[in-house]
Amino acid sequence: MAKTTERTMTAEAVRAEVGAGQERLRALLPALTDDGVREPSELPGWSRAHVLSHIEGVALALARQARYGLRGELIEPYDGGRPARAAAIEAGALRDAAALGDAVRAALAEASAAWAVVGPADWSRPVRHRNGDLRSALLAWWRELEIHAADARIGYGPQDWPRELCRHLLDYLAPRVPADLHLVLTDTDGTPVRRYGCVDAPRVTVCGPVTDLAAWLAGRRPHHPLDCRRPGAPAPLPELLDWP
């Protein structure tokens, strides 16, 4: 079982972080070019256009969870499930830079409007997304927004992630650590040490800035090399399990 230092943010604080992240992404969109959106993203097999199309889709899907959740109705995030989601990403990736930018801006506007009307008493309302509630759906949108904005390689990377997001990722992604490992993450920027796995298992210590630790745990490239050590010697980074 993972042992982490849990930091609980209010849903309103998460919503403010999401709003700031949406504004950062909006500010990057005018620089898109037709050639640039065809270039590779950080995700294998996906161009920047694929990632931007995915951001558009997930923004709308989770905004829909908010709209229906407030009405007391449960609905799937995507009509047609994952096959329809994948088809929409492929079709959306064919658009030029102007059309992509307009679509992402429209999706961000819908997300802002949908989440703005969620009140303090509404966050525990159930949603279909992962059988969670409105708060968990908002957290999912925060992760999707920030991680995929970095994946798009349009001027924003994991090294730019807010510290609060990084701390959230270090907790949320704890299930990626194998149970037969005692993993200790030490942040050189001062975040409390995170411990995962079994304390009786072989100990592995990974040290670096919190943004790089979060990037690695999220399956992304750290901006700086991480220092990984097993007792007495440097070691390669351990293999992680799938996303929760």
Side-chain angles (χ1 to χ4, degrees):
M1 178 179 292
K3 295 182 180 179
T4 65
T5 303
E6 181 67 31
R7 291 175 56 94
T8 302
M9 295 176 65
T10 66
E12 288 75 14
V14 175
R15 180 165 56 189
E17 291 283 347
V18 168
Q22 291 183 169
E23 287 304 313
R24 282 191 293 270
L25 179 56
R26 284 191 187 96
L28 295 170
L29 294 176
L32 295 176
T33 66
D34 289 344
D35 288 339
V37 297
R38 305 295 162 224
E39 293 178 358
S41 72
E42 290 289 339
L43 298 180
W46 272 18
S47 67
R48 288 182 176 127
H50 284 89
V51 176
L52 291 168
S53 184
H54 175 50
I55 292 173
E56 173 200 4
V58 75
L60 295 174
L62 291 172
R64 183 163 90 152
Q65 295 294 285
R67 297 285 196 198
Y68 278 80
L70 285 175
R71 301 206 297 258
E73 300 179 41
L74 298 179
I75 190 171
E76 293 296 331
Y78 295 91
D79 286 331
R82 295 189 70 85
R85 167 185 172 272
I89 291 170
E90 290 296 333
L94 299 176
R95 293 171 291 188
D96 61 22
L100 272 169
D102 287 345
V104 173
R105 275 186 285 269
L108 294 177
E110 168 58 16
S112 295
W115 291 108
V117 296
V118 181
D122 296 322
W123 295 110
S124 61
R125 289 179 179 270
V127 297
R128 183 72 73 197
H129 181 262
R130 296 196 168 196
N131 295 317
D133 57 19
L134 285 174
R135 185 180 186 277
S136 69
L138 178 64
L139 284 166
W141 170 225
W142 190 24
R143 294 189 297 269
E144 293 280 338
L145 170 67
E146 294 286 356
I147 291 174
H148 290 310
D151 289 336
R153 296 179 59 241
I154 56 174
Y156 181 75
Q159 70 274 13
D160 303 310
W161 285 345
R163 292 182 67 85
E164 288 293 349
L165 173 76
C166 294
R167 293 175 181 127
H168 166 66
L169 290 175
L170 293 184
D171 289 333
Y172 178 76
L173 295 172
R176 297 203 69 199
V177 179
D180 60 353
L181 190 71
H182 180 197
L183 177 65
V184 180
L185 297 187
T186 303
D187 169 24
T188 55
D189 298 334
T191 294
V193 170
R194 296 299 208 279
R195 298 180 183 275
Y196 308 82
C198 177
V199 295
D200 296 325
R203 175 170 172 159
V204 178
T205 300
V206 180
C207 182
V210 68
T211 50
D212 290 329
L213 294 173
W216 171 63
L217 208 58
R220 270 63 184 179
R221 287 189 298 173
H223 190 59
H224 303 97
L226 293 169
D227 181 40
C228 180
R229 295 180 180 270
R230 294 181 184 265
L237 291 166
E239 293 292 325
L240 298 173
L241 303 178
D242 292 339
W243 264 63

